[in-house]
Short mmCIF file of all heavy atoms in Angstrom, two decimals:
data_model
loop_
_atom_site.label_atom_id
_atom_site.label_comp_id
_atom_site.label_asym_id
_atom_site.label_seq_id
_atom_site.Cartn_x
_atom_site.Cartn_y
_atom_site.Cartn_z
N GLY A 281 5.87 -19.78 5.50
CA GLY A 281 4.71 -19.59 4.66
C GLY A 281 3.74 -18.49 5.08
O GLY A 281 2.80 -18.21 4.39
N GLY A 282 4.01 -17.89 6.23
CA GLY A 282 3.12 -16.81 6.66
C GLY A 282 3.32 -15.57 5.83
O GLY A 282 4.29 -15.44 5.08
N GLY A 283 2.41 -14.61 5.98
CA GLY A 283 2.50 -13.39 5.24
C GLY A 283 1.22 -12.57 5.33
O GLY A 283 0.37 -12.84 6.15
N LEU A 284 1.13 -11.59 4.44
CA LEU A 284 -0.03 -10.71 4.37
C LEU A 284 -0.87 -11.04 3.15
O LEU A 284 -0.34 -11.08 2.05
CB LEU A 284 0.43 -9.24 4.30
CG LEU A 284 -0.61 -8.16 4.07
CD1 LEU A 284 -1.58 -8.15 5.25
CD2 LEU A 284 0.05 -6.84 3.86
N VAL A 285 -2.15 -11.27 3.38
CA VAL A 285 -3.07 -11.56 2.25
C VAL A 285 -4.36 -10.81 2.47
O VAL A 285 -4.70 -10.41 3.58
CB VAL A 285 -3.36 -13.08 2.13
CG1 VAL A 285 -2.09 -13.85 1.78
CG2 VAL A 285 -4.00 -13.62 3.38
N GLN A 286 -5.12 -10.63 1.39
CA GLN A 286 -6.45 -10.04 1.47
C GLN A 286 -7.48 -11.08 1.88
O GLN A 286 -7.30 -12.29 1.65
CB GLN A 286 -6.84 -9.43 0.13
CG GLN A 286 -6.09 -8.19 -0.22
CD GLN A 286 -6.62 -7.56 -1.50
OE1 GLN A 286 -6.29 -7.98 -2.57
NE2 GLN A 286 -7.48 -6.56 -1.31
N ALA A 287 -8.55 -10.62 2.48
CA ALA A 287 -9.65 -11.51 2.82
C ALA A 287 -10.10 -12.27 1.59
O ALA A 287 -10.23 -11.70 0.51
CB ALA A 287 -10.80 -10.72 3.40
N GLY A 288 -10.35 -13.55 1.77
CA GLY A 288 -10.71 -14.43 0.68
C GLY A 288 -9.54 -15.14 0.04
O GLY A 288 -9.76 -16.05 -0.77
N GLY A 289 -8.34 -14.72 0.32
CA GLY A 289 -7.17 -15.32 -0.24
C GLY A 289 -6.74 -16.59 0.45
O GLY A 289 -7.40 -17.07 1.36
N SER A 290 -5.59 -17.10 0.01
CA SER A 290 -5.08 -18.38 0.52
C SER A 290 -3.60 -18.28 0.88
O SER A 290 -2.85 -17.48 0.30
CB SER A 290 -5.25 -19.48 -0.55
OG SER A 290 -6.60 -19.71 -0.84
N LEU A 291 -3.20 -19.13 1.81
CA LEU A 291 -1.80 -19.31 2.19
C LEU A 291 -1.59 -20.80 2.50
O LEU A 291 -2.53 -21.46 2.94
CB LEU A 291 -1.39 -18.48 3.38
CG LEU A 291 -1.19 -16.98 3.22
CD1 LEU A 291 -0.95 -16.37 4.63
CD2 LEU A 291 0.02 -16.69 2.33
N ARG A 292 -0.35 -21.27 2.32
CA ARG A 292 0.02 -22.58 2.77
C ARG A 292 1.21 -22.48 3.73
O ARG A 292 2.25 -22.00 3.34
CB ARG A 292 0.36 -23.54 1.64
CG ARG A 292 0.49 -24.96 2.08
CD ARG A 292 0.82 -25.93 0.99
NE ARG A 292 2.23 -25.94 0.67
CZ ARG A 292 2.88 -27.01 0.15
NH1 ARG A 292 2.23 -28.14 -0.10
NH2 ARG A 292 4.19 -26.88 -0.12
N LEU A 293 1.01 -22.95 4.95
CA LEU A 293 2.07 -22.99 5.94
C LEU A 293 2.74 -24.34 5.92
O LEU A 293 2.10 -25.38 5.70
CB LEU A 293 1.51 -22.73 7.32
CG LEU A 293 0.70 -21.45 7.52
CD1 LEU A 293 0.30 -21.31 8.98
CD2 LEU A 293 1.45 -20.23 7.02
N SER A 294 4.03 -24.35 6.20
CA SER A 294 4.78 -25.57 6.28
C SER A 294 5.54 -25.62 7.62
O SER A 294 5.95 -24.57 8.13
CB SER A 294 5.82 -25.69 5.15
OG SER A 294 5.18 -25.72 3.88
N CYS A 295 5.73 -26.80 8.15
CA CYS A 295 6.49 -26.99 9.37
C CYS A 295 7.36 -28.21 9.20
O CYS A 295 6.84 -29.32 8.97
CB CYS A 295 5.56 -27.15 10.57
SG CYS A 295 6.39 -27.62 12.09
N VAL A 296 8.66 -28.02 9.31
CA VAL A 296 9.62 -29.13 9.16
C VAL A 296 10.20 -29.44 10.54
O VAL A 296 10.75 -28.52 11.19
CB VAL A 296 10.73 -28.76 8.19
CG1 VAL A 296 11.70 -29.91 8.06
CG2 VAL A 296 10.14 -28.42 6.82
N ALA A 297 10.11 -30.69 10.95
CA ALA A 297 10.69 -31.13 12.21
C ALA A 297 12.01 -31.82 11.91
O ALA A 297 12.16 -32.56 10.95
CB ALA A 297 9.75 -32.10 12.90
N SER A 298 12.98 -31.58 12.77
CA SER A 298 14.28 -32.20 12.62
C SER A 298 14.84 -32.50 14.00
O SER A 298 14.33 -32.03 15.01
CB SER A 298 15.23 -31.28 11.85
OG SER A 298 15.44 -30.04 12.52
N GLY A 299 15.91 -33.28 14.03
CA GLY A 299 16.53 -33.66 15.25
C GLY A 299 16.36 -35.14 15.56
O GLY A 299 16.24 -35.97 14.65
N ASN A 300 16.32 -35.48 16.84
CA ASN A 300 16.22 -36.85 17.26
C ASN A 300 14.75 -37.27 17.35
O ASN A 300 14.10 -37.22 18.38
CB ASN A 300 16.88 -37.03 18.63
CG ASN A 300 18.38 -36.81 18.55
OD1 ASN A 300 19.02 -37.06 17.53
ND2 ASN A 300 18.94 -36.30 19.64
N ILE A 301 14.26 -37.72 16.18
CA ILE A 301 12.86 -38.11 16.04
C ILE A 301 12.83 -39.63 15.85
O ILE A 301 13.42 -40.16 14.91
CB ILE A 301 12.20 -37.40 14.85
CG1 ILE A 301 12.27 -35.90 15.06
CG2 ILE A 301 10.77 -37.87 14.70
CD1 ILE A 301 11.85 -35.09 13.85
N PHE A 302 12.12 -40.29 16.76
CA PHE A 302 12.17 -41.76 16.80
C PHE A 302 10.86 -42.46 16.44
O PHE A 302 10.77 -43.67 16.57
CB PHE A 302 12.62 -42.18 18.21
CG PHE A 302 13.94 -41.60 18.62
CD1 PHE A 302 13.96 -40.57 19.57
CD2 PHE A 302 15.12 -42.05 18.05
CE1 PHE A 302 15.18 -40.00 19.94
CE2 PHE A 302 16.32 -41.49 18.42
CZ PHE A 302 16.34 -40.45 19.36
N SER A 303 9.87 -41.69 16.02
CA SER A 303 8.60 -42.30 15.67
C SER A 303 7.85 -41.33 14.76
O SER A 303 8.23 -40.16 14.57
CB SER A 303 7.77 -42.60 16.89
OG SER A 303 7.41 -41.44 17.59
N ILE A 304 6.74 -41.83 14.18
CA ILE A 304 5.81 -40.96 13.52
C ILE A 304 4.89 -40.37 14.57
O ILE A 304 4.30 -41.10 15.36
CB ILE A 304 4.98 -41.74 12.48
CG1 ILE A 304 5.94 -42.34 11.41
CG2 ILE A 304 3.95 -40.83 11.81
CD1 ILE A 304 5.24 -43.24 10.42
N ASN A 305 4.81 -39.04 14.61
CA ASN A 305 4.19 -38.35 15.77
C ASN A 305 2.95 -37.57 15.36
O ASN A 305 2.79 -37.19 14.21
CB ASN A 305 5.21 -37.40 16.36
CG ASN A 305 6.51 -38.07 16.69
OD1 ASN A 305 6.57 -38.78 17.68
ND2 ASN A 305 7.56 -37.87 15.88
N ASN A 306 2.09 -37.36 16.36
CA ASN A 306 0.99 -36.44 16.20
C ASN A 306 1.56 -35.04 16.01
O ASN A 306 2.45 -34.65 16.75
CB ASN A 306 0.08 -36.49 17.37
CG ASN A 306 -0.61 -37.83 17.54
OD1 ASN A 306 -0.59 -38.65 16.67
ND2 ASN A 306 -1.25 -38.01 18.70
N MET A 307 0.99 -34.28 15.07
CA MET A 307 1.44 -32.92 14.84
C MET A 307 0.22 -32.03 14.62
O MET A 307 -0.85 -32.51 14.40
CB MET A 307 2.37 -32.83 13.62
CG MET A 307 3.67 -33.63 13.76
SD MET A 307 4.81 -33.45 12.37
CE MET A 307 5.38 -31.77 12.63
N GLY A 308 0.47 -30.73 14.76
CA GLY A 308 -0.67 -29.85 14.60
C GLY A 308 -0.27 -28.38 14.52
O GLY A 308 0.94 -28.03 14.56
N TRP A 309 -1.26 -27.58 14.36
CA TRP A 309 -1.11 -26.12 14.35
C TRP A 309 -2.01 -25.47 15.36
O TRP A 309 -3.17 -25.87 15.54
CB TRP A 309 -1.49 -25.55 12.95
CG TRP A 309 -0.53 -25.96 11.84
CD1 TRP A 309 -0.66 -27.02 11.03
CD2 TRP A 309 0.63 -25.25 11.47
NE1 TRP A 309 0.41 -27.06 10.15
CE2 TRP A 309 1.20 -25.98 10.39
CE3 TRP A 309 1.26 -24.09 11.91
CZ2 TRP A 309 2.37 -25.56 9.75
CZ3 TRP A 309 2.40 -23.68 11.27
CH2 TRP A 309 2.97 -24.43 10.20
N HIS A 310 -1.48 -24.50 16.06
CA HIS A 310 -2.25 -23.64 16.96
C HIS A 310 -1.96 -22.17 16.51
O HIS A 310 -1.00 -21.91 15.83
CB HIS A 310 -1.86 -23.82 18.42
CG HIS A 310 -2.21 -25.14 18.96
ND1 HIS A 310 -1.64 -26.32 18.58
CD2 HIS A 310 -3.17 -25.47 19.93
CE1 HIS A 310 -2.15 -27.34 19.26
NE2 HIS A 310 -3.08 -26.83 20.09
N ARG A 311 -2.83 -21.29 16.98
CA ARG A 311 -2.62 -19.87 16.66
C ARG A 311 -2.98 -19.02 17.87
O ARG A 311 -3.74 -19.42 18.74
CB ARG A 311 -3.41 -19.43 15.46
CG ARG A 311 -4.93 -19.44 15.68
CD ARG A 311 -5.66 -19.10 14.38
NE ARG A 311 -7.11 -19.04 14.56
CZ ARG A 311 -7.99 -18.90 13.58
NH1 ARG A 311 -7.56 -18.82 12.31
NH2 ARG A 311 -9.30 -18.83 13.85
N GLN A 312 -2.38 -17.83 17.90
CA GLN A 312 -2.66 -16.89 18.96
C GLN A 312 -2.72 -15.49 18.38
O GLN A 312 -1.78 -14.99 17.81
CB GLN A 312 -1.62 -16.94 20.06
CG GLN A 312 -1.95 -16.14 21.28
CD GLN A 312 -1.10 -16.50 22.48
OE1 GLN A 312 -0.02 -17.08 22.35
NE2 GLN A 312 -1.59 -16.21 23.67
N ALA A 313 -3.90 -14.88 18.54
CA ALA A 313 -4.12 -13.49 18.12
C ALA A 313 -3.86 -12.56 19.29
O ALA A 313 -3.95 -12.97 20.45
CB ALA A 313 -5.51 -13.32 17.59
N PRO A 314 -3.56 -11.28 18.99
CA PRO A 314 -3.29 -10.34 20.10
C PRO A 314 -4.45 -10.28 21.06
O PRO A 314 -5.63 -10.12 20.67
CB PRO A 314 -3.11 -9.02 19.35
CG PRO A 314 -2.61 -9.40 17.99
CD PRO A 314 -3.35 -10.69 17.67
N GLY A 315 -4.17 -10.39 22.35
CA GLY A 315 -5.16 -10.31 23.38
C GLY A 315 -6.05 -11.54 23.55
O GLY A 315 -7.01 -11.50 24.32
N LYS A 316 -5.74 -12.62 22.84
CA LYS A 316 -6.53 -13.81 22.91
C LYS A 316 -5.71 -15.01 23.33
O LYS A 316 -4.47 -14.97 23.20
CB LYS A 316 -7.21 -14.10 21.56
CG LYS A 316 -8.21 -13.02 21.12
CD LYS A 316 -8.90 -13.42 19.84
CE LYS A 316 -9.92 -12.37 19.41
NZ LYS A 316 -10.60 -12.75 18.14
N GLN A 317 -6.39 -16.06 23.74
CA GLN A 317 -5.70 -17.30 24.12
C GLN A 317 -5.27 -18.07 22.88
O GLN A 317 -5.89 -17.94 21.82
CB GLN A 317 -6.62 -18.16 24.98
CG GLN A 317 -7.02 -17.60 26.32
CD GLN A 317 -7.92 -18.54 27.09
OE1 GLN A 317 -8.46 -19.48 26.55
NE2 GLN A 317 -8.03 -18.25 28.38
N ARG A 318 -4.23 -18.86 23.06
CA ARG A 318 -3.84 -19.76 21.99
C ARG A 318 -4.89 -20.82 21.76
O ARG A 318 -5.44 -21.36 22.74
CB ARG A 318 -2.49 -20.42 22.31
CG ARG A 318 -1.93 -21.25 21.17
CD ARG A 318 -0.51 -21.78 21.48
NE ARG A 318 0.43 -20.71 21.65
CZ ARG A 318 1.76 -20.90 21.72
NH1 ARG A 318 2.26 -22.11 21.64
NH2 ARG A 318 2.56 -19.87 21.90
N GLU A 319 -5.23 -21.08 20.52
CA GLU A 319 -6.29 -22.02 20.23
C GLU A 319 -5.84 -23.04 19.18
O GLU A 319 -4.97 -22.78 18.34
CB GLU A 319 -7.54 -21.28 19.70
CG GLU A 319 -7.33 -20.58 18.36
CD GLU A 319 -8.62 -19.94 17.82
OE1 GLU A 319 -9.70 -20.29 18.34
OE2 GLU A 319 -8.49 -19.12 16.92
N LEU A 320 -6.45 -24.18 19.24
CA LEU A 320 -6.19 -25.24 18.25
C LEU A 320 -6.72 -24.79 16.87
O LEU A 320 -7.86 -24.35 16.75
CB LEU A 320 -6.88 -26.55 18.65
CG LEU A 320 -6.85 -27.65 17.60
CD1 LEU A 320 -5.44 -28.21 17.44
CD2 LEU A 320 -7.82 -28.78 17.98
N VAL A 321 -5.90 -24.99 15.88
CA VAL A 321 -6.35 -24.76 14.48
C VAL A 321 -6.66 -26.14 13.82
O VAL A 321 -7.73 -26.36 13.30
CB VAL A 321 -5.28 -24.00 13.65
CG1 VAL A 321 -5.71 -23.89 12.23
CG2 VAL A 321 -5.04 -22.66 14.28
N ALA A 322 -5.66 -27.02 13.87
CA ALA A 322 -5.81 -28.34 13.27
C ALA A 322 -4.76 -29.28 13.82
O ALA A 322 -3.69 -28.83 14.20
CB ALA A 322 -5.68 -28.24 11.73
N SER A 323 -5.07 -30.55 13.83
CA SER A 323 -4.09 -31.56 14.23
C SER A 323 -4.25 -32.77 13.35
O SER A 323 -5.29 -33.02 12.73
CB SER A 323 -4.28 -31.95 15.71
OG SER A 323 -5.56 -32.52 15.92
N ILE A 324 -3.19 -33.58 13.31
CA ILE A 324 -3.19 -34.80 12.52
C ILE A 324 -2.38 -35.84 13.28
O ILE A 324 -1.26 -35.59 13.76
CB ILE A 324 -2.62 -34.55 11.12
CG1 ILE A 324 -2.74 -35.83 10.25
CG2 ILE A 324 -1.21 -33.99 11.14
CD1 ILE A 324 -2.54 -35.53 8.75
N THR A 325 -2.97 -37.04 13.44
CA THR A 325 -2.31 -38.09 14.20
C THR A 325 -1.30 -38.80 13.38
O THR A 325 -1.16 -38.56 12.16
CB THR A 325 -3.34 -39.11 14.73
OG1 THR A 325 -3.83 -39.88 13.62
CG2 THR A 325 -4.49 -38.44 15.46
N ASN A 326 -0.56 -39.72 14.02
CA ASN A 326 0.44 -40.50 13.31
C ASN A 326 -0.19 -41.40 12.25
O ASN A 326 0.48 -41.80 11.29
CB ASN A 326 1.27 -41.34 14.28
CG ASN A 326 0.44 -42.25 15.16
OD1 ASN A 326 -0.77 -42.30 15.08
ND2 ASN A 326 1.12 -42.98 16.05
#
């Protein structure tokens, strides 16, 4: 879902988990800009 947009625009990112998943898990998004530390964007609990 990433891409190039103008300021003021919108995007929707998706993340699909697969494999050996045995519970409903906490999930989230982080981001890292050039020259900066990775930071929390959003998280959601089980």
Side-chain angles (χ1 to χ4, degrees):
L284 174 64
V285 297
Q286 289 185 278
S290 298
L291 284 173
R292 191 180 81 152
L293 306 184
S294 299
C295 172
V296 180
S298 62
N300 295 329
I301 301 171
F302 304 106
S303 64
I304 300 173
N305 306 285
N306 296 347
M307 298 184 71
W309 292 92
H310 292 70
R311 68 186 182 186
Q312 189 164 21
K316 296 184 178 180
Q317 296 181 345
R318 186 174 297 191
E319 65 176 346
L320 171 71
V321 177
S323 64
I324 184 165
T325 71
N326 56 1

